[in-house]
Amino acid sequence: MNRLAAQMQFLLTCDQLKNIIRTTTLHNGSRMENSAEHSWHLALMALTLAEHAPAGTDMNRVIQLLLLHDLVEIYAGDTFFDVSAADLQQQAEQEWQAAKQLFGLLPEDQQKHFLDLFEEFETQKTPEAQYARALDALQPMLLTWGQGGLGCTEKHPDLTMERLLKLKEKHLRRFPVLWEFVLELLQDAVKAGILHSTPGAEENASEHHPA
Amino acid sequence: MNRLAAQMQFLLTCDQLKNIIRTTTLHNGSRMENSAEHSWHLALMALTLAEHAPAGTDMNRVIQLLLLHDLVEIYAGDTFFDVSAADLQQQAEQEWQAAKQLFGLLPEDQQKHFLDLFEEFETQKTPEAQYARALDALQPMLLTWGQGGLGCTEKHPDLTMERLLKLKEKHLRRFPVLWEFVLELLQDAVKAGILHSTPGAEENASEHHPA
């Protein structure tokens, strides 16, 4: 019964992920997305887009990684993806401390299991972690610039198509089907006037955020 | 590419689950929960409480069922669990129509696969569907009456411990560890003054909602 009590306390703490507000909106623009519903959407994407992952990818593990990957934000907060390398490094350290604190609520064996999953996602060495991260990179673009999307030029005037591609390519390019989809999505968004394009600016952009 | 376009359109439509508001609040009472973040929480519960399911339960399938189970609410809406049998029947029919409409956005083979998962959850014949439903019945109780919970006596003055147990037992009693947890949770809530108790009233309650 002690294991169960610890697990329930963990699950109650995890409820706080519903109050972590991301920097992107829902597809209809009505409000900002929170990290709990974002995690659900990613897990559903993994289930729906399973056939586009490389053969042999364990989609159930992808889903597990996605269910857990943002939990550290309960203690460490969410970060916009377009930040400096130094900020990213600091964020990574905070998140590791947060993971130890949060998963530390669980029985010891399970603590290790969840920390392993979190570390697998963070270190990006397995096909499962890479596919999970690709979906995480794709989802906000789908909501923002997918059919009926509203863009975000007012809020992020400097986020051009070229800058986006530069920032996202390290996660998405290794999955050609997803990468092609993103290219078309953003090109259509530029044509529709909901995304700026500044050809030639990507070199400058890359200085802020090495791929 | 046509398959991918259909899948992405499905995923954009599913974004609307984030705007389906449930009848229960977050643990801190700050706002009502939506069905997307609820689905994430359930999937996380399945992952965390896997060891308490009967041996042989396929927890990855439980998670898949939970990721999909509320999607029909996009077209059919959410229903409070304490309603008449006639209302439940009408709701079930609406949900089946909604499932056909929503999953109909997908390629045909996948449509069938997702409809099968939805039907498995609804018909409650497999251990996986039963464990998924048990977690679905437990989660709002954990948020409402778990440690630090606020109860809901103002909003639902008639929802006594006896009535709750009567309504929930058909989902939870077959999992003794979870059922014992719920019994203790609600008894503690009564002691803490955040849940009413009316011994002997359960027979009357059962007339409205046969178990």
Side-chain angles (χ1 to χ4, degrees):
Chain A
M1 192 60 184
N2 270 348
R3 287 183 67 87
L4 185 62
Q7 288 158 341
M8 291 293 186
Q9 194 52 48
F10 167 76
L11 289 166
L12 272 180
T13 305
C14 290
D15 198 60
Q16 296 175 39
L17 194 63
K18 300 167 189 170
N19 284 323
I20 302 294
I21 307 302
R22 288 166 47 80
T23 57
T24 46
T25 67
L26 302 191
H27 184 50
N28 68 9
S30 60
R31 63 171 173 82
M32 308 308 281
E33 191 184 38
N34 72 59
S35 291
E37 60 197 5
H38 165 70
S39 298
W40 163 78
H41 210 174
L42 291 182
L44 182 67
M45 284 180 81
L47 193 60
T48 307
L49 303 176
E51 68 195 72
H52 307 294
T57 307
D58 178 351
M59 203 49 55
N60 289 316
R61 192 166 183 94
V62 173
I63 289 172
Q64 291 183 16
L65 294 171
L66 288 169
L67 292 174
L68 295 180
H69 84 290
D70 269 348
L71 273 176
V72 294
E73 295 176 0
I74 288 174
Y75 297 131
D78 181 40
T79 311
F80 190 51
F81 69 100
D82 189 5
V83 295
S84 72
D87 285 348
L88 274 184
Q89 177 59 28
Q90 193 193 10
Q91 175 73 5
E93 279 160 28
Q94 281 172 356
E95 289 190 348
W96 185 245
Q97 290 307 316
K100 286 199 279 191
Q101 185 181 350
L102 181 67
F103 298 134
L105 296 171
L106 290 165
E108 221 164 304
D109 57 325
Q110 203 164 23
Q111 195 177 131
K112 179 169 176 348
H113 176 53
F114 280 31
L115 271 174
D116 284 350
L117 284 167
F118 176 70
E119 191 180 12
E120 178 177 339
F121 182 82
E122 288 296 305
T123 53
Q124 287 289 300
K125 285 176 187 155
T126 64
E128 286 75 16
Q130 291 166 359
Y131 200 65
R133 189 65 186 82
L135 297 179
D136 192 24
L138 195 158
Q139 189 255 8
M141 290 196 279
L142 182 66
L143 295 191
T144 307
W145 296 286
Q147 202 177 343
L150 304 170
C152 61
T153 49
E154 271 193 35
K155 197 167 175 198
H156 300 291
D158 298 336
L159 202 60
T160 62
M161 177 175 74
E162 291 74 20
R163 184 158 178 73
L164 265 166
L165 292 173
K166 195 78 196 166
L167 290 165
K168 301 276 189 174
E169 70 176 349
K170 65 180 174 295
H171 302 306
L172 281 158
R173 203 161 197 157
R174 60 163 62 91
F175 303 106
V177 174
L178 301 184
W179 183 242
E180 288 298 319
F181 174 81
V182 166
L183 287 178
E184 201 176 325
L185 183 84
L186 297 186
Q187 281 158 3
D188 286 350
V190 170
K191 279 184 214 151
I194 55 171
L195 178 62
H196 296 315
S197 171
T198 49
E202 66 269 33
E203 292 313 310
N204 182 38
S206 69
E207 286 170 22
H208 299 280
H209 191 295
Chain B
M1 191 61 184
N2 270 348
R3 285 181 69 85
L4 185 63
Q7 288 158 341
M8 291 294 186
Q9 194 51 49
F10 167 76
L11 289 166
L12 273 180
T13 304
C14 290
D15 198 60
Q16 296 174 39
L17 194 64
K18 299 167 189 169
N19 284 323
I20 303 294
I21 307 302
R22 288 167 47 81
T23 57
T24 46
T25 67
L26 302 191
H27 185 51
N28 68 8
S30 59
R31 62 170 173 82
M32 308 308 282
E33 190 184 39
N34 74 58
S35 291
E37 61 198 5
H38 166 70
S39 297
W40 163 78
H41 210 173
L42 291 181
L44 182 68
M45 284 179 81
L47 193 61
T48 307
L49 304 175
E51 69 195 70
H52 306 295
T57 307
D58 177 351
M59 204 48 57
N60 288 317
R61 191 166 184 93
V62 173
I63 290 172
Q64 292 184 15
L65 294 172
L66 289 169
L67 292 175
L68 294 180
H69 83 292
D70 269 348
L71 272 177
V72 295
E73 295 176 0
I74 288 174
Y75 297 131
D78 181 41
T79 310
F80 190 52
F81 69 100
D82 189 5
V83 296
S84 72
D87 286 348
L88 273 185
Q89 177 61 26
Q90 192 192 8
Q91 175 73 3
E93 278 159 28
Q94 280 171 357
E95 289 190 347
W96 186 245
Q97 290 307 315
K100 286 198 278 189
Q101 185 181 349
L102 181 67
F103 299 134
L105 296 171
L106 290 165
E108 221 164 301
D109 57 324
Q110 202 164 23
Q111 196 177 130
K112 179 169 177 348
H113 175 54
F114 280 31
L115 271 174
D116 285 350
L117 284 167
F118 176 71
E119 192 181 10
E120 179 176 340
F121 182 82
E122 288 297 305
T123 53
Q124 287 289 300
K125 286 177 186 157
T126 63
E128 285 76 15
Q130 290 167 0
Y131 200 65
R133 189 65 187 82
L135 297 179
D136 193 23
L138 195 159
Q139 188 255 10
M141 290 196 279
L142 182 66
L143 295 191
T144 307
W145 296 288
Q147 201 177 344
L150 304 170
C152 61
T153 48
E154 271 192 35
K155 196 168 173 197
H156 301 291
D158 298 337
L159 203 60
T160 61
M161 177 174 74
E162 291 73 19
R163 182 155 180 73
L164 266 166
L165 292 174
K166 195 79 195 166
L167 289 167
K168 301 275 189 176
E169 70 175 349
K170 65 179 174 295
H171 303 306
L172 281 158
R173 203 161 196 156
R174 58 163 64 91
F175 303 105
V177 174
L178 301 184
W179 183 243
E180 287 300 318
F181 174 82
V182 166
L183 287 178
E184 201 176 326
L185 183 84
L186 297 186
Q187 281 158 4
D188 286 351
V190 169
K191 278 183 213 150
I194 55 170
L195 178 64
H196 297 314
S197 170
T198 49
E202 66 271 32
E203 293 314 311
N204 183 37
S206 71
E207 287 170 22
H208 299 280
H209 190 297

